[in-house]
Amino acid sequence: MKIHEYQSRQILSNHGIPVPQAEVVRTPDEAAAAFGKFGVGMCVVKAQVYAGGRGKAGFVKLVKSAEEARAAATFMLSNRMVSVQTGAEGVPVSVLLVAPGVDIAREYYVGITLDRAGGRAVLIASAEGGVEIEEVARHSPEKVLKTPLHPLLGLLPFQAREVAYKLGFTDKLAGEAAKLMLNLSKAFIATDASLAEINPLVITTDGKLQAIDAKFNFDDNALFRHADIAAMIDDSQEKPLDVRARKAGLNYIALDGTIGCLVNGAGLAMATMDIIKLHGAEPANFLDVGGSVSAEGAVEAFRIILADPKVKGVLVNVFGGIARCDLIAEALVKAGREVGFKVPVVVRLEGTNSKEARVILSAAQAELKTLQTAADLTDAAKKVVAAVA
Ligand code: GDP
Ligand code: MN
């Protein structure tokens, strides 16, 4: 799960990391008023969206008067932000942050994320901050420092000091930078984050450390113990089908292919995607309805797949255990009646109550003309691939 920058700044601040004061605003008038309230010569207006690359896209603007703040806010609130991270459709902007502008002497990158290959968290730091860290890693990998975190203790003080010195910090600032990295590690662990990033961390011209951008992602599987974080989600930033799937408790990931998959169980979903590829097509999604899906959840799953314009055919692959085949068959027929099957739908059902399920499906075939049943998974994959070819 992602959150906005203003929320990430709050988490940093709660963990003792210096963050400039800021105001969250939703209208151009509020942006102008915030400028006046800070009483400084320069502020920064920043679109709050679940994507980076805002600076280059024109959605982080330095302004020198209330009128400039108003104009920047008007522009941001009336355009979707398109950046290297969003795709052509961009993301909507409805919340802005206004903060006193800082005079930057130098920008650094500091972040903690999961090193999946190493099976642990890693601190990533660079004296080439402000720009995308992936870019730095590509052209000058030697400028990116990586330090593994202890799985229980997080970053250790000697590691933080070593990184601070390698980044070029000296004297008092080295101690402050080390402390900041230790605090970032504490925040990362305390919130079950999968990413905690400050880019840029800056030294101001008057020699102070400040985190002027902040980004957290969280492990969805740990959200049950962070009700405060789970409540921060902004549905307007997610794709509508993703939001519906989450609300229905479905494990859904949209992909680029043409065959929609409805499967029970993550392993079976992986196998289903593999067999679609084996027969020469690509899956349009990964959708695991899980073992204990309700009738309403299953209907919603079909609605979500059928609402995706990329889907040219659907493969239903259910191995009934706790989830009964007849419940899935009824949900399929209900969804079919409700939204209509405009594309071929091939069904393979085995296991608990599969006989009853076959009766339900054959009774519905007169009405749902594109519905086909398959003898086994290979047959199902061949049929659906042939149907979309
Ligand atoms: P991002 O592009 O989405 O990562 O947004 P950032 O918050 O990181 O801002 C992008 C860039 O704008 C930063 O790297 C800074 O160079 C610049 N910037 C942001 N805030 C300030 C500020 O208060 N003062 C100055 N001088 N530059 C800023
Ligand atoms: Mn940034």
Side-chain angles (χ1 to χ4, degrees), residues 46 52-54 130 197-200 212-214:
K46 312 179 78 176
R54 294 169 302 171
E197 183 183 82
I198 304 173
N199 187 27
I212 67 165
D213 189 13

mmCIF file of all heavy atoms in Angstrom, residues 46 52-54 130 197-200 212-214, ligand 2:
data_model
loop_
_atom_site.group_PDB
_atom_site.id
_atom_site.type_symbol
_atom_site.label_atom_id
_atom_site.label_comp_id
_atom_site.label_asym_id
_atom_site.label_seq_id
_atom_site.Cartn_x
_atom_site.Cartn_y
_atom_site.Cartn_z
ATOM 1 N N LYS A 46 3.404 21.397 -3.930
ATOM 2 C CA LYS A 46 3.669 20.033 -4.386
ATOM 3 C C LYS A 46 2.384 19.223 -4.505
ATOM 4 O O LYS A 46 1.637 19.096 -3.542
ATOM 5 C CB LYS A 46 4.601 19.323 -3.394
ATOM 6 C CG LYS A 46 5.819 20.146 -2.994
ATOM 7 C CD LYS A 46 6.689 19.421 -2.000
ATOM 8 C CE LYS A 46 7.534 18.356 -2.684
ATOM 9 N NZ LYS A 46 8.460 17.709 -1.725
ATOM 10 N N GLY A 52 6.118 9.360 -8.279
ATOM 11 C CA GLY A 52 7.211 10.317 -8.219
ATOM 12 C C GLY A 52 7.430 10.962 -9.576
ATOM 13 O O GLY A 52 6.594 10.856 -10.476
ATOM 14 N N GLY A 53 8.564 11.639 -9.699
ATOM 15 C CA GLY A 53 8.866 12.341 -10.948
ATOM 16 C C GLY A 53 8.037 13.603 -11.085
ATOM 17 O O GLY A 53 7.849 14.129 -12.183
ATOM 18 N N ARG A 54 7.567 14.119 -9.942
ATOM 19 C CA ARG A 54 6.682 15.288 -9.993
ATOM 20 C C ARG A 54 7.430 16.534 -10.418
ATOM 21 O O ARG A 54 6.893 17.376 -11.143
ATOM 22 C CB ARG A 54 6.051 15.516 -8.610
ATOM 23 C CG ARG A 54 5.124 14.417 -8.184
ATOM 24 C CD ARG A 54 4.759 14.574 -6.731
ATOM 25 N NE ARG A 54 5.962 14.579 -5.891
ATOM 26 C CZ ARG A 54 5.971 14.869 -4.600
ATOM 27 N NH1 ARG A 54 4.857 15.212 -3.996
ATOM 28 N NH2 ARG A 54 7.099 14.836 -3.910
ATOM 29 N N GLY A 130 18.142 13.576 -5.207
ATOM 30 C CA GLY A 130 17.245 14.439 -5.978
ATOM 31 C C GLY A 130 16.784 13.792 -7.258
ATOM 32 O O GLY A 130 15.617 13.864 -7.605
ATOM 33 N N GLU A 197 11.626 6.098 1.984
ATOM 34 C CA GLU A 197 12.598 6.798 1.132
ATOM 35 C C GLU A 197 12.568 8.304 1.368
ATOM 36 O O GLU A 197 11.502 8.901 1.454
ATOM 37 C CB GLU A 197 12.238 6.494 -0.332
ATOM 38 C CG GLU A 197 13.178 7.076 -1.348
ATOM 39 C CD GLU A 197 12.704 6.787 -2.763
ATOM 40 O OE1 GLU A 197 11.822 7.521 -3.257
ATOM 41 O OE2 GLU A 197 13.191 5.827 -3.379
ATOM 42 N N ILE A 198 13.752 8.886 1.463
ATOM 43 C CA ILE A 198 13.883 10.344 1.528
ATOM 44 C C ILE A 198 14.724 10.759 0.316
ATOM 45 O O ILE A 198 15.913 10.453 0.256
ATOM 46 C CB ILE A 198 14.599 10.803 2.821
ATOM 47 C CG1 ILE A 198 13.879 10.259 4.070
ATOM 48 C CG2 ILE A 198 14.684 12.323 2.867
ATOM 49 C CD1 ILE A 198 14.619 10.536 5.373
ATOM 50 N N ASN A 199 14.077 11.402 -0.628
ATOM 51 C CA ASN A 199 14.804 11.808 -1.833
ATOM 52 C C ASN A 199 14.234 13.096 -2.397
ATOM 53 O O ASN A 199 13.206 13.086 -3.041
ATOM 54 C CB ASN A 199 14.726 10.718 -2.898
ATOM 55 C CG ASN A 199 15.609 11.048 -4.092
ATOM 56 O OD1 ASN A 199 16.597 11.748 -3.951
ATOM 57 N ND2 ASN A 199 15.238 10.565 -5.271
ATOM 58 N N PRO A 200 14.858 14.227 -2.133
ATOM 59 C CA PRO A 200 16.165 14.336 -1.519
ATOM 60 C C PRO A 200 16.123 14.586 -0.010
ATOM 61 O O PRO A 200 15.212 15.207 0.501
ATOM 62 C CB PRO A 200 16.741 15.566 -2.211
ATOM 63 C CG PRO A 200 15.542 16.439 -2.453
ATOM 64 C CD PRO A 200 14.406 15.493 -2.720
ATOM 65 N N ILE A 212 13.133 16.708 2.517
ATOM 66 C CA ILE A 212 12.138 17.542 1.820
ATOM 67 C C ILE A 212 11.240 16.749 0.882
ATOM 68 O O ILE A 212 10.353 17.294 0.250
ATOM 69 C CB ILE A 212 12.759 18.768 1.116
ATOM 70 C CG1 ILE A 212 13.643 18.372 -0.045
ATOM 71 C CG2 ILE A 212 13.516 19.663 2.094
ATOM 72 C CD1 ILE A 212 13.948 19.560 -0.948
ATOM 73 N N ASP A 213 11.456 15.443 0.782
ATOM 74 C CA ASP A 213 10.478 14.578 0.091
ATOM 75 C C ASP A 213 10.465 13.271 0.855
ATOM 76 O O ASP A 213 11.502 12.879 1.414
ATOM 77 C CB ASP A 213 10.877 14.354 -1.380
ATOM 78 C CG ASP A 213 9.778 13.655 -2.171
ATOM 79 O OD1 ASP A 213 8.640 13.567 -1.662
ATOM 80 O OD2 ASP A 213 10.057 13.197 -3.305
ATOM 81 N N ALA A 214 9.332 12.625 0.922
ATOM 82 C CA ALA A 214 9.218 11.399 1.711
ATOM 83 C C ALA A 214 8.255 10.442 1.037
ATOM 84 O O ALA A 214 7.233 10.865 0.486
ATOM 85 C CB ALA A 214 8.707 11.728 3.108
HETATM 86 MN MN MN B 2 11.724 13.214 -4.663
#
